[in-house]
Structures are given as structure tokens and as C-alpha cells.
Amino acid sequence: MEAARTERPAGWPGAPLARTGLLLLSTWVLAGAEITWDTTGGPGRLAALASRSPALPRLSPLAMASQWPEELATVRRGAALERRPGPEPLPQPSSGSGRKKQEAGGLSPASSRWGPGISTPGKPSGVRRSRRAQPPSALEHGDARATVLAAGSKGSRPLAKGLREEAKAPRTGGSATEELRLPSTSFALTGDSAHNQAMVHWSGYNSSVILILTKLYDFNLGSVTESSLWRSTDYGTTYEKLNDKVGLKTVLSYLYVNPTNKRKIMLLSDPEIESSILISSDEGATYQKYRLTFYIQSLLFHPKQEDWVLAYSLDQKLYSSMDFGRRWQLMHERITPNRFYWSVAGLDKEADLVHMEVRTADGYAHYLTCRIQECAETTRSGPFARSIDISSLVVQDEYIFIQDMHIISTNENQVFAAVQEWNQNDTYNLYISDTRGIYFTLAMENIKSSRGLMGNIIIELYEVAGIKGIFLANKKVDDQVKTYITYNKGRDWRLLQAPDMDLRGNPVHCLLPFCSLHLHLQISENPYSSGRISSKETAPGLVVATGNIGPELSYTDISVFISSDGGNTWRQIFDEEYNVWFLDWGGALVAMKHTPLPVRHLWVSFDEGHSWDKYGFTSVPLFVDGALVEAGVETQIMTVFGHFSLRSEWQLVKVDYKSIFSRHCSEEDYQTWHLLNQGEPCVMGERKIFKKRKPGAQCALGRDSSGTVVSEPCVCADWDFECDYGYERHGESQCVPAFWYNPASPSKDCSLGQSYFNSTGYRRIVSNNCTDGLREKYTAKAQMCPGKAPHGLHVATTDGRLVAEQGHNATFIILMEEGDLQRTNIQLDFGDGIAVSYANFSPIEDGIKHVYKSAGIFQVTAYAENNLGSDTAVLFLHVVCPVEHVHLRVPFVAIRNKEVNISAVVWPSQLGTLTYFWWFGNSTKPLITLDSSISFTFLAEGTNTITVQVAAGNALIQDTKDIAVHEYFQSQLLSFSPNLDYHNPDIPEWRQDIANVIKRALVKVTSVPEDQILVAVLPGLPTSAELFILPPKNLTERRKGNEGDLEQIVETLFNALNQNLVQFELKPGVQVIVYVTQLTLAPLVDSSAGHSSSAVLMLLSVVFVGLAVFLIYKFKRKIPWINIYAQVQHDKEQEMIGSVSQSENAPKITLSDFTEPEELLDKELDTRVIGGIATIANSESTKEIPNCTSV
């Protein structure tokens, strides 16, 4: 387990890819220039695509030691370089065998520069031995915090200062010519000085090939504008430029290496120019280019099948390839970023199975699996019927997690998980599981957390490699961060004892618990810096970390410490920041100062940091960007990356350290050491004795040279047991039940007649190998399962919602807190007259599906029963049909202070329970009803806006109408010449246009003020309209006189209409005449009761005439295109007739599918609970009904 990583998304490059040697180098910059880092990542991803440039944080040079991104680092150098007064002096090239002819398409290795005086491989005689030097912190005092200058003639000062710092270091072995040196060569990537990013791959392990991709990333454009590909076949001595082999115009953005077969390489072109992939099967010697129809954001290689690849696109689609990227097939859409995984050996039967988290259209996340060649809709399966937390799917080892927690480790059949409680901000609680990964117990509270450069959560927990059970954690205690250590997987924690002496031999006065040693536990996010803490499997017990001594962890006072005995005791080895790497499988240490200044020396220790030898690895100081150490451990070669000057090309310095080992180690070169925990020899139930090389023996180790010599079990003691699930630690060793746990309650899987293991409150720590002693006392005891009545029954839908859609599957799950799952009968009544029953819980683990054929509110009842009792659970489920249209029925004109009936007509009509929100005028709060109609009184004259919103499940639609409110008004029906019917499409827009034309014609003929006329064309055929005569807006007093004025306007309008003066041209050749419908004029409408009888007569007349007109129109010849308009009415806005209208028997095509208002008003809230169970079904109905209207 690697600490400081909470969970690793699919294809996390730190696992299979980091070991291959991928690196983005950063160039040093002058003061004032920005250092930026690429912060995005994903499955197998090495950097963000250029089309999605991330916001990159600024870092000072001081922060670089701990802030290397694990994948890539980028820099911006251009502005700083422009301020340089002139080029730095570079090492002059010398004639050598590595020189090659210059090739087209860029500079070849022939233009590389060899540093003068740099030793070449094969000349070990150049190495001289001298007396042992002092630790480098006592020799070199270069200021790691020095600012690199960038002004005028001072541009060369960083280099000069670096040389002065090197010159200050005293030498113990005579003159400078006797300096210890390591054979090295340097190669310059000529022509790439402007490139600000580089990616390096060296697979190592019997491979001499190194690939380097350099590129110029334009931060303004957010894309790569130039790139170069280099290849070495001699461990980095020489390189060949391959731009002509991949295409001179091809701009490359990323380099991927197959973790299963490192000879297979993938290159991605920059999507801003083209979307293509280049494939190599011979370690990058030749390439084949394939065009892509999508933009790749990240890749995930299969852990065993070298040709199987998953590709995640920018538009969140997942593609698969079984021929290493030559052909791609779409698997699924709406995939959550970083949440897709290949099958797990031992967990999945099919090797081509893919686990993925899919987002639905309504925003829910679901866990699906399917095979890459059979991922159609019908073959996808969901291991969990219900929805899951977003971005929660983690597939790691034999475990699948769908909860919102950070998985730290799944090693040794145990899960380490970090959970943030509601009251925590920058801390997490650490939980450790049993071997099944189901039941978790608390191991430590308030572990410090932080955000990584990629936005990932970093939990400051570190597992020491090589010895199981040892962890370091940074815990926040009273706003102070302190470092704790455990030797038994989190059962017991203690502070770290500070060293007795500092680096110069002065005594350290530090008393526990007020003062202790504190360490930075973030592992390197860049595999080419050592990070702040490191240990190795091949060097058990050896831990190197940065930190400080004091009451709490400091982020400014930083030194380097080392432990040789697994964290029991510590020594200070540097008083400044150094990168420290393990050489020769951990048999030797190499250190390089972390500084913005150029360096030319490194330090090597053969005695675990007690003493150091100083070696020169280049004659010209190098601005170091990183080192590649792990890949060359077999060949004893390390590669250092950097620049000789701020304007120079990328320099790759190959350092051969074989010469520092005089021979291979023999048995006489080893010694043994005992692992202790504060003097206690038993750690994790074992006594262990390890072997390691004797101090000062400069012999080369083998791969398996270090390890355990003796391992024997110990007698079980209290510290070998932790509290079991449901128990909490009180005091040193006592475990008592938590307040929420009932230890007498057996497992739900425990059936009458069977036996179960009843916990004693203790469980042996996972991987602990102790025997006898307290083992029998603390081991769970077998007991017979007692019968238990059902208790805590729950029924819910799989997605947790209380709304289901009519005609679609609704899936229910039934849970029971206590009871016998195997001997409890289950019955589920769906509330619509259908129920199902089961003999036990086994058949319903994946849920019970049911299709509701009608809308309404249904009472879903679950009933569990056995011979000891029963329990019931109820769920009220709203079954709805998606609402498509709503039409607001309001009169065109209303009387002030009189109630107006307003209704909403919804289509489809059978939608179950709907919620109506009514908004009147400028009101800020709606009136809410379950009824489709409402009465409202308007208190002020003028135009008022009415809006109704209808909610059905997740759907919300609305309609808005205007109503004119006056003290009084008159109205009259209008009819038209028959030719208008032939051109009436019966749509709202057409009716509004005709109403405006009629109004303008009336105003033109009669000179009546425009604001006193309102015309509304009514839906249906034959075409008719209603004319409203309104009082003047500024005359609301003297009511009697105003009524007389209104009568004069009516008479004027009638005279014009009766004389056929009101007409308009619909289109050339179609003249339409407007008539007064020959009925008794509607009386003056006001608040008095004198007109009630006249109104009744008028309405009866309207009904009679409407019938007559309908019968006459019925027998008119049929117009072919009228039906076309009728068919599209549901897609158009629906309108309602005015206060004086046609007969209800007249054809109204636009309202034919609406429920009548009387029916809507009479309907009451119906829970649709049907008494009694009509049928008992053995199988559930799962056939989905296509839509609501077909039910």
C-alpha cells in the first residue's frame, strides 16, 4: 500500500505506468517566471488534453520537492529566457563515437553536446578513492531558498553562485583533481530548447531503450504546438530524433506504454490538429498511424491481455479495442470520469468484463457491468439494483466499493478506508475491515488530509514497505499535527521518539509527549523525485523522511531523518531538503540537494546514512529537474534530467554507478538485525530477524539479497487482538459494546437449527501470526441460532425515490434488521390489486419489479412473518405519467371584485395526482392546490397575468394567460364570411393575428379608441370571435354616464358591422367580411342583479345558434387539409373560448382530448388503494408499457 493516495482511479499511472519511467521534466526558470504543474489525470492518463487545459497553481521553488506531480510537471520558461542578456556558455562538443549524421526533419544526435571532462562509460579507472567525507549538510551550505536572479548582466549569477557553493565544500582527499567521480555522459536534445514539457520512458529490466517526448505547450491556446520524439538504444548514451518516422507535421501530445508488454507504445496526437493514434510494437522503432473518430482523454490497459485497451473520450464515452487501438467499439455513454475498471482475476469469470459507473439522464449513478464485445442494452447488467453515490465505484483487488469513502489499501485481505464525518473539515477517520471487507472498526480519528495537485484527497497515512503492520500517520490534536506510529495495524499508536543528537553531535532535549519527531508523509507525486518519505520492500526497516523535531509538524523547518530499524529510532542525516534514492535494491543511498541552483555532485552512503561519499557526476553544474533511478537498478545506471543553462536544450546525463561497487556481496558481507517494538521482540505475532549488508561493505547486492532470515510465531497477547465490529476500546485492552450495538443479536443469515460464531468482542489482527496464549479466550464461540421474530422491516424503491412512472418497471427492495432470513415469509402488496409472496428472502435480493398500469397514489405494503412474530412496512408510491401539455382556461375579461373560475386542462388526462401552483399578477408566493381549478377575485382594474405550473413527478410545465379586469363591459359574438373557414388552421398564432386584423379594421371604420376594443377569435369551426367593448381607462367614477358612453360605442360598432363596412383582405383575392351574430346583444355586465334573466336568455340563444351552425357546417363539403391541423393540436398551445361562446355541441377540434372541466372539478384525491388482494402472483410483471396513452 502506498499512503497519501486515498483511492486510485482506473489506470492510475502510479501503479503500472510509474514503474515504466514516464516523466514530464520541468526546466528551471529565472526569478519572476512561473513554475506551473499539470494537475489533471484519469485512468492511465499522463496529462490533460490540450483542448482542456487545466487551471495550474503557482509553486515557488521551495515547494517543488514535495509538489512534483506523479504524472507530469510543466513549466513556463519563455518570459524568463527573453530577459537573458546572452546565452550561457555551454560545454563544447567533442569528437566521440556517439556522433551520427544529421538527418532531415530536425537535428539528429550528431548535434548533441558532450561536456568536457565528463567521463565516458567503460573507463572506471577515472574513479579515485579518498577518505570518507563528512555528511553533505556539514559540507555544502548552498542556500536552498536563494532566489534566481534575472536582470541585465546578472543573468549568469545562478550558475556562478552554484559554482561558488560547490567550491566552498572542503575536500578531505587532497587536491581537486583527486575528486571522486562517476562515469557519465551527457546528451542534448538539440532543437528543443523552446519545449517546456517532456515525457520520458525507460522500461528498464533488460531493456536499453529510452523514449523521450518533448513538446511546446502554449498556455494561451491551451494546446501543444510543437513536439519531438527521441529514442535511445544504448541506455541513454545517444538519442535519435524520430519526427520523420511519425510524420514531420504530426504534433504529439501523450506517450503511453503498455504495462504488460513494454515493447508496445502508443502515441496520441494533439486533438486540436487531428485525432489520431500511433502504435509501435518494437519499443518505438517504427509506428503505424490510425485516425480516430473521437478524442481520447485517457487510456486503461488490461492487466493481462496486452492488446485490450479502454479509451475514455472527452464527451464521457467509453470505447474498447482488442487489437491495441487499431479498431475501436463504443461501449457506453455518460460514464463517470475515472470510474471504469477491467475485470479482476479471482472476482470475475470473464477476462473481458468491464465495471463502470454510468450516469442516467436524471443525474443518478448506477453500477453496470458488460463484456467489451457484448455491451448492448440487453446484455448490460447491474450487480446492484439501486442507484449508487456519484463517483463512488471503486474496483480494487477482490473488493468492489460503491460507497462514498476513500479506499487507501486492500492489501492482505483487509480494507483500509478513510471516512470524513459531518463535523470534520481537513481530517478523516481511519477504519479497518475484517477479511471480508464488510465490517469496519475505527483505527484512528482525525488523520490529517490535504488536496493534491490533481485535486485528489491525500490522507497522511503511510505504510512502511518490507515489514507488515507498521504504519505512520499524521493526526490532528488540538490544532497541532503530530506523527504517530503503529506496529500492529492501528491497534496501538505512539509518538515518535526524537533523535538523541542532531547532525553535528549536539544533544537534543525533547521529552515525550511534549516534544517528538514529526514527519511529512506525502509520497512523491512524481516518481522521479524521492518524495518526502520512502521505503523499499528490498530494504526492510530502512525509512527516509523529511520532518522536524518539536511540538508539532512544521512546514518550514525541514530536515531529513532516517531509521534503520523500522521506525524505533531515528537519526538526522541532513539539515536541508535532499532527494534521497535507494540504489542497488536498497543496499546504498544516493542523495542530491534539492535546490534551484545548479549542482554537479551527488552523495552516496553504504552504511545507511552514517557517512557519505561525495561524487561528481558532471563537470558542468546542472539545473536538475529529476532523476530516473528505479528503471536502471538492474544495469546500475541512473539518468539525471536537467539543463546546463537556462537557455540550453534538455540535457540527459547518464550516470553509471557500477564502478562504486568493488564486487558482488558474499555471505561474509551480511549481518543480522532484530525487529523490535520498543524492546518487544514480537511484532504482529512473530519474532523476525532480518539480514542486511555490513556498514562499509561496498559490494553489490542482488535482487533477493535482503529479507527475513528467521521468523517464528509468538504466544498471543493482548496487543495481538483488536476490538471486533460493534465494540469500542475502553482503557488499554478492554472492548465493550458500542451504544448502538446489540451483542446478543445474531446475524440475519443465522437460521433456526444452525450455529453461528458469537463474538467475544475481540478479533485477532489480520495477518497476525500469534498462536496459543489468549487466542482461545478471545476467539468467537459457536452458538446455536435462536429463533427471532422479524423486526425493523423496511420497503423502498431501488433509486430511493417515491415517484414511479406509469408503464415502467418500479423495483422494490425489502430490508429487515432482525429476524431469520431463511425462515421468514415475505408478502408485498403493490396497492393496485396485485401482490406477490415468497417463502424467504433469497429470491428478492435483487429487488421485486412491478409495472403500474394506471396513475395514482398507491399504498405499497410489505409483510414479514415467521412462527415467532411478524412485522409490516408501508410505502406510499406516487405513480405518474409524464405531463406533456397544460392549457389555462380563463375568461378574456373579468369584473372587478367578482370571483372568476380558472381551470387548467392537462394532457394526457389520466396523470394521477398533480400539484398546481397558481401565480396571480406580481405575487411572489403561489397558491398551491391539488385541484385543477381555482376561484380568484381581482381587486384592481387593468391587465392581470395568470400563470399555472403543473408538477407531476420530476416534470414541471406551465401556461400563462392575460385577463382584462374592468368595472363593467359589453360583449358580442362575431361571425365571418364562409371563405375564412377554408383558410383557418385553428392554431393560436393564427387566431391572434386575425383578432388584431379585426381590431384594426373596427378602429379604422368607427374611430373608436383602440383601448376600448378587445377581439378574441375562438377555437374551432366555423370561425367565430367575441367582441368586447370596454370602458375608458380614465373614467371609472360617474358610472351612469360611462354606461351611456359605452352604449353609444356599441351602437357605432353595430352600425358599421351591419352595413358590412368591417372587412379585411386575408390574402390577394380573399376578402373576408365581419358580421354581427344575429342574437340579442349581451347585456351590460356589472355587479348588479338586474341582468340575470337577460343573461340566461342570451346563453340559451347562443346554444341554439351554435347547434344550428354546427348542423349546417356538418353537411358542408369536406375540406381535405383541415384534418392536418387537427392532428397537430396536441403539439400546440391550447386555448379556451371566452365568456360568450359557441354551443358545447359545436365541433372543437383543439379540445377533443381534454377532460371536461366538470369532470376535473368533481374528481377527489384518490389514493388508489384497492381493498383486498385480487391475486397472489408467483412471478412479477416486468413488461413495460410503451407510453401512458396506450394503457
Side-chain angles (χ1 to χ4, degrees), residues 23-25 27 77 188-201 211-217 224-231 239 241-243 250-255 267 641-643 649-652:
L23 168 68
L24 175 67
L25 302 175
T27 57
R77 306 167 52 211
L189 303 184
T190 308
D192 294 349
S193 59
H195 292 188
N196 54 12
Q197 293 183 353
M199 302 172 66
V200 181
H201 159 67
L211 289 174
I212 300 178
L213 171 64
T214 66
K215 38 185 184 170
L216 174 60
Y217 184 84
V224 179
T225 57
E226 295 179 14
S227 66
S228 296
L229 183 65
W230 300 81
R231 184 174 185 264
Y239 288 84
K241 199 169 188 177
L242 302 182
N243 283 27
T250 300
V251 178
L252 303 175
S253 57
Y254 298 108
L255 181 151
L267 296 171
F641 313 96
H643 295 78
E649 292 85 358
W650 295 95
Q651 299 288 335
L652 296 104

Side-chain angles (χ1 to χ4, degrees), residues 169-214:
R171 295 178 173 83
T172 59
S175 63
T177 58
E178 297 178 357
E179 175 186 64
L180 293 176
R181 299 190 57 81
L182 289 172
S184 62
T185 58
S186 177
F187 189 91
L189 303 184
T190 308
D192 294 349
S193 59
H195 292 188
N196 54 12
Q197 293 183 353
M199 302 172 66
V200 181
H201 159 67
W202 181 16
S203 61
Y205 306 112
N206 301 321
S207 174
S208 61
V209 175
I210 301 177
L211 289 174
I212 300 178
L213 171 64
T214 66

Side-chain angles (χ1 to χ4, degrees), residues 1 43 67 96-97 255 318 439 442 566 610 627 759 944 1089 1152 1187:
M1 178 184 71
Q67 309 263 3
S97 60
L255 181 151
L318 187 64
Y439 296 104
L442 181 64
H610 286 280
S759 175
N944 287 266
S1152 60
N1187 54 61

Side-chain angles (χ1 to χ4, degrees), residues 23-28 68 77 90 185-189 192-193 195 198 200 212 214 239 528 592 597-599 617-618 620-628 639-654:
L23 168 68
L24 175 67
L25 302 175
S26 64
T27 57
W28 295 105
W68 277 79
R77 306 167 52 211
L90 297 175
T185 58
S186 177
F187 189 91
L189 303 184
D192 294 349
S193 59
H195 292 188
V200 181
I212 300 178
T214 66
Y239 288 84
Y528 304 99
M592 187 179 297
L597 303 176
V599 297
F617 68 96
T618 174
V620 178
L622 182 74
F623 291 92
V624 176
D625 298 323
L628 191 63
T639 304
V640 182
F641 313 96
H643 295 78
F644 282 140
S645 73
L646 299 175
R647 295 180 63 91
S648 69
E649 292 85 358
W650 295 95
Q651 299 288 335
L652 296 104
V653 181
K654 172 187 172 183

Side-chain angles (χ1 to χ4, degrees), residues 337-359:
N338 303 340
R339 303 298 171 179
F340 52 93
Y341 308 85
W342 280 110
S343 60
V344 178
L347 177 66
D348 301 310
K349 295 180 180 179
E350 301 87 2
D352 62 344
L353 191 72
V354 177
H355 304 260
M356 49 193 171
E357 181 182 309
V358 180
R359 302 284 290 273

Side-chain angles (χ1 to χ4, degrees), residues 1141-1157:
S1141 66
Q1142 310 151 280
S1143 168
E1144 290 295 324
N1145 294 327
K1148 302 182 180 66
I1149 300 174
T1150 59
L1151 302 177
S1152 60
D1153 291 295
F1154 290 116
T1155 302
E1156 291 298 321

Side-chain angles (χ1 to χ4, degrees), residues 898-902 920 927 934-939 946:
K898 283 286 187 178
E899 275 194 352
V900 178
N901 289 328
I902 303 167
F920 295 93
L927 301 177
I934 191 173
S935 296
F936 190 78
T937 300
F938 294 95
L939 303 179
I946 304 174

